[in-house]
Amino acid sequence: MKGEGRAGCGGRGLFEDLDFPSDDTSLFSDSSTPIARLQGNITWRRPQEICQSPVLFPDNITLGHAKQGLLGDCWFLCACTVLLKNKHLLNKVLPPDQPQWGDSQYRGFFQFCFWQQGHWTEVTIDDRLPCINSSLCFSRCHSPAAFWVALLEKAYAKFHGSYERLWAGQVSEALVDLTGGLAEHWSLGNLGSEEEQRPERDSDQVRRRRLDLNLLYPVKDDCALSCSTHSSPGGASELGQYHALTVTEWLDVKTVSGGEVRLLRIRNPWGRCCWGGAWVESGAGWSSVEPACASDLQARVAEGEFWLDEAEFMSQFDDVTVGYPISEEGHLRSIYTGSLLKHSHQLAGRWIKGHSAGGSRNSSCYCTNPKFWLKVSEKGEVLVSLLQHRKWRNAEKYAQTPLEDNKNTKHQHYQATALHMWKVEKKRFNLSRMLNKPPFASTHCHAYEREVVLHGHLEPGYYLLIPSTYQPGAESRFLIRAHSSSSISLSALRSPAPSLPLTTDGEWETSYFRGSWVEGRTAGGSRNFLSHWQNPCFPFTVCDPAAVTSGVNVRITLQQNRPDTELHPIGFHIYKVPEGASVQTIPRDEDPVASCVPHCYMQDVSLACSLPPGAYTILPSTYEPDCSANFTLSLARRIHRRVVKSQERLGRAIQEVSHISVMQS
């Protein structure tokens, strides 16, 4: 997806982004945050109008760090720190060699890239920045002549729809958007009261992890580490609630008594020190280490930074976010072992109400959730993550899904989700029986997070992954990602059962058809177009007399075989074929007897209906002609058989009332 923006020209021929204009529509979404009071006071200026010799980065990289302005986006600025530490990540987000001020090729715009649902998305902005009294009012660099932070913030604001939508967020989300990697959330504080009040717990034992810094030691110099407060800690009375800071360094220091103390250097995005602990400049803690060591460590502290020890860190902050290191080749390094996870796969999916949104394991519909095969070829360390789409975004170019009605405003952007894994020993297995057993591994509780992560060391074999929302019927798109130190493969499980739940009365017979819409041949589009009848047709018959068949007797599902980000709107019609005639003789203005429309941007669309005996044909289509894609059509028809008495004596039921899935190797 490209975000090039519609261009306009200023008085000097410089680019003006008409998709993200220099007015209040780019600043505010609903004027619900404190920056709403700035309306009418903001002017937009280009960097050369703010200082004499603007640059993207200063010569002293320490002065290139972000300094927070009037916008509450400390979470985003903390994530930006990882870019200054990793040139290859910075070059991905801000492609190098772009014309700057003073360059003859400069045209007043910059291009950035953010990772979104499995792909890098390009965002182009002009360089007009919001100011008050000729000074930047939002984030900036410590150097007043450097503008990479202010421009990146503007591009991220366009990516979200407005500056106001950057007010408050999760460091983990920004880290993933800026790196395409993974980030995990770890708790520091007392979890007892929170555990007791979590409504989204499912039947699994709830186990939330607490941070052990020793666990991160193999990657302490490479991982991105951020800490945050939910309320004012004792040593940081100025910080207030919900503020994020960056851990820039941590090390073990010898004390004069022969022991060790672990010290962490923290950077506050506000650009000033707000700490009163034992390790401030004149704090009592420094007397416990050698004077030379104390002088060296204190000399490392830049503006807005301070030291504290591990005990202070664990007691004064509420949680931390750990971003996985990423090699120059784009591979993750495990924060648990330091191992390089060279093998990775990803697949998109969707929970659809009435079809694949089965809810948690408390729900009888759990087995209808989407399912994925993870094949592990050799023993190795494996990470599997479940990342869901946010419910609101810019309504046009960056639209993902609309904001849905949700009475729970605290969690209005995400569903509570979890990921469960079962090891499958045989190539043929009983799904219902397996799901009644405890999972091999899981994220243990449904969490209102954009991404949840499952980690383990897996033996070779097949593993079934089931992502779920806590509430049945909750709809959302998601992305499953797997990273491993050994060879793996990830694939979606295509269930051979009809997509919609079947009633227990009678038996069902299911047929499967594969087809293609081919541009210029069989991609005829919807009934709005004369070419509609060029679409593939799939004839079938209903045989049971109407007196025997009551209620739904036909269930049809159309599934397109395309990535979730490249879906066509699809649907289908069912036409009656006159007795003794063929499909070709159906009048072209004939109305269908049943339809699955309007056409929807979905992987699967389904219809359950009751049809009298006769001959019919199914005509699947995309909304517009010449949209090429492969598809699968499943047709389930209810049939009635006379009961047969069985002489089976081997202790094995002839027919189990359950869902049987066959593993695809």
Side-chain angles (χ1 to χ4, degrees):
M1 175 166 50
K2 296 291 183 181
E4 297 176 351
R6 292 173 296 134
C9 292
R12 291 175 294 172
L14 296 180
F15 173 77
E16 293 184 0
D17 186 2
L18 302 182
D19 287 331
F20 200 67
S22 297
D23 58 33
D24 284 357
T25 61
S26 298
L27 291 170
F28 311 108
S29 55
D30 56 13
S31 298
S32 61
T33 69
I35 66 168
R37 67 179 185 271
L38 302 178
Q39 292 189 54
N41 296 321
I42 291 181
T43 59
W44 298 75
R45 300 178 184 272
R46 297 186 189 267
Q48 63 269 37
E49 299 170 328
I50 299 173
C51 73
Q52 188 171 1
S53 301
V55 293
L56 279 176
F57 299 94
D59 294 332
N60 181 353
I61 198 62
T62 300
L63 298 178
H65 281 287
K67 187 173 183 179
Q68 189 176 352
L70 299 178
L71 186 61
D73 60 349
C74 55
W75 59 282
F76 171 65
L77 303 181
C78 285
C80 290
T81 304
V82 73
L83 300 180
L84 288 183
K85 290 175 57 178
N86 298 272
K87 184 72 171 178
H88 62 288
L89 297 180
L90 177 63
N91 288 343
K92 190 75 174 178
V93 174
L94 177 54
D97 302 325
Q98 298 190 49
Q100 299 182 35
W101 312 274
D103 190 315
S104 61
Q105 300 299 313
Y106 165 73
R107 291 294 180 267
F109 68 88
F110 288 88
Q111 293 177 326
F112 294 85
C113 292
F114 300 107
W115 189 89
Q116 179 189 42
Q117 288 292 329
H119 305 281
W120 286 94
T121 300
E122 184 180 286
V123 178
T124 300
I125 58 167
D126 63 38
D127 60 358
R128 297 177 294 175
L129 299 169
C131 297
I132 293 179
N133 297 328
S134 301
S135 297
L136 293 174
C137 61
F138 297 144
S139 301
R140 72 209 67 180
C141 295
H142 280 266
S143 167
F147 287 88
W148 82 277
V149 167
L151 292 168
L152 177 63
E153 183 184 57
K154 178 175 182 177
Y156 202 55
K158 179 179 179 180
F159 185 64
H160 278 72
S162 71
Y163 275 92
E164 191 171 39
R165 283 188 170 165
L166 301 188
W167 188 282
Q170 295 290 335
V171 178
S172 57
E173 295 183 21
L175 278 171
V176 173
D177 292 345
L178 293 174
T179 66
L182 276 181
E184 292 201 52
H185 201 64
W186 300 69
S187 297
L188 296 179
N190 183 7
L191 303 174
S193 60
E194 182 183 358
E195 289 295 308
E196 295 168 2
Q197 298 174 13
R198 291 177 72 88
E200 65 271 19
R201 289 186 297 176
D202 61 14
S203 57
D204 294 321
Q205 177 186 2
V206 175
R207 289 183 292 171
R208 290 192 61 197
R209 298 160 302 172
R210 291 178 62 109
L211 174 71
D212 179 0
L213 284 175
N214 292 318
L215 177 69
L216 301 177
Y217 204 87
V219 293
K220 74 180 185 69
D221 296 324
D222 301 313
C223 69
L225 194 60
S226 175
C227 54
S228 61
T229 62
H230 296 173
S231 58
S232 299
S237 57
E238 287 187 59
L239 290 182
Q241 292 188 325
Y242 303 106
H243 187 52
L245 304 92
T246 304
V247 180
T248 56
E249 178 184 12
W250 58 285
L251 67 166
D252 297 325
V253 178
K254 297 288 186 182
T255 63
V256 293
S257 61
E260 275 192 347
V261 60
R262 179 166 289 170
L263 297 180
L264 298 96
R265 182 158 55 101
I266 310 294
R267 174 178 290 116
N268 182 2
W270 289 348
R272 64 180 188 273
C273 180
C274 299
W275 195 256
W279 299 89
V280 294
E281 186 174 358
S282 57
W286 295 111
S287 61
S288 65
V289 301
E290 294 289 347
C293 177
S295 297
D296 174 56
L297 295 180
Q298 288 178 315
R300 301 185 193 185
V301 174
E303 184 181 6
E305 292 186 337
F306 56 89
W307 288 97
L308 46 69
D309 60 40
E310 183 176 8
E312 288 178 314
F313 180 77
M314 301 295 285
S315 64
Q316 298 299 315
F317 292 95
D318 294 294
D319 51 48
V320 299
T321 298
V322 185
Y324 282 68
I326 301 177
S327 70
E328 294 192 13
E329 294 75 28
H331 303 309
L332 295 188
R333 280 184 62 200
S334 168
I335 61 175
Y336 299 94
T337 64
S339 300
L340 203 60
L341 308 177
K342 293 185 177 181
H343 305 270
S344 62
H345 297 272
Q346 64 182 32
L347 284 175
R350 188 169 187 173
W351 294 292
I352 302 172
K353 186 175 182 180
H355 173 52
S356 60
S360 72
R361 295 182 68 211
N362 297 335
S363 168
S364 60
C365 300
Y366 176 76
C367 64
T368 64
N369 283 299
K371 305 168 194 70
F372 298 86
W373 281 128
L374 176 68
K375 180 183 178 182
V376 179
S377 300
E378 53 186 330
K379 183 177 181 179
E381 183 178 6
V382 179
L383 285 165
V384 184
S385 71
L386 167 63
L387 187 152
Q388 62 176 305
H389 283 226
R390 194 169 180 137
K391 293 185 195 172
W392 57 255
R393 290 298 293 277
N394 187 348
E396 296 182 9
K397 188 163 297 279
Y398 302 103
Q400 292 185 153
T401 53
L403 178 63
E404 299 173 2
D405 293 334
N406 195 330
K407 296 179 181 178
N408 190 346
T409 56
K410 180 180 178 182
H411 305 300
Q412 64 178 324
H413 301 311
Y414 299 119
Q415 304 290 351
T417 61
L419 185 61
H420 293 75
M421 173 193 292
W422 283 266
K423 192 171 192 308
V424 180
E425 302 297 340
K426 300 178 181 179
K427 280 217 164 190
R428 189 173 179 87
F429 70 98
N430 184 295
L431 182 65
S432 299
R433 288 180 181 176
M434 187 185 70
L435 296 184
N436 284 329
K437 299 177 181 178
F440 175 83
S442 74
T443 54
H444 301 294
C445 65
H446 285 75
Y448 287 102
E449 303 283 348
R450 186 174 77 168
E451 188 165 25
V452 295
V453 181
L454 189 156
H455 169 262
H457 294 269
L458 302 184
E459 297 289 338
Y462 285 90
Y463 297 83
L464 182 68
L465 296 168
I466 300 185
S468 63
T469 59
Y470 181 72
Q471 294 290 347
E475 294 193 320
S476 183
R477 297 173 183 265
F478 63 82
L479 185 73
I480 292 279
R481 295 195 283 167
H483 301 269
S484 176
S485 60
S486 61
S487 178
I488 59 171
S489 63
L490 184 67
S491 60
L493 186 152
R494 301 305 182 193
S495 169
S499 296
L500 295 177
L502 298 182
T503 55
T504 56
D505 56 326
E507 297 180 40
W508 290 79
E509 185 176 71
T510 306
S511 304
Y512 295 89
F513 308 95
R514 296 186 183 276
S516 300
W517 294 296
V518 180
E519 182 178 351
R521 293 173 52 199
T522 59
S526 66
R527 295 181 71 212
N528 296 342
F529 301 93
L530 295 176
S531 56
H532 175 64
W533 282 91
Q534 294 175 10
N535 287 294
C537 294
F538 298 90
F540 70 98
T541 58
V542 175
C543 299
D544 286 342
V548 177
T549 302
S550 60
V552 171
N553 64 347
V554 174
R555 300 179 188 273
I556 300 169
T557 297
L558 171 65
Q559 178 186 70
Q560 59 178 311
N561 304 326
R562 289 178 65 82
D564 204 51
T565 55
E566 301 175 12
L567 297 179
H568 295 312
I570 60 172
F572 58 84
H573 298 282
I574 304 173
Y575 294 91
K576 185 81 166 64
V577 179
E579 186 175 354
S582 65
V583 172
Q584 288 74 21
T585 61
I586 299 176
R588 293 306 180 245
D589 57 353
E590 181 77 11
D591 288 329
V593 296
S595 300
C596 184
V597 291
H599 290 71
C600 298
Y601 286 96
M602 290 185 177
Q603 289 280 6
D604 307 89
V605 293
S606 298
L607 174 69
C609 60
S610 177
L611 297 177
Y616 299 88
T617 189
I618 307 168
L619 199 147
S621 66
T622 57
Y623 181 72
E624 293 187 349
D626 294 332
C627 295
S628 296
N630 296 323
F631 62 83
T632 302
L633 192 71
S634 68
L635 167 66
R637 287 170 290 177
R638 195 167 68 169
I639 58 177
H640 291 265
R641 304 185 193 275
R642 181 177 299 175
V643 176
V644 178
K645 292 184 179 180
S646 172
Q647 299 295 317
E648 183 71 33
R649 296 179 181 177
L650 298 177
R652 181 179 178 183
I654 294 176
Q655 179 183 359
E656 295 181 7
V657 184
S658 62
H659 176 118
I660 302 294
S661 296
V662 181
M663 183 182 304
Q664 301 296 318
S665 59

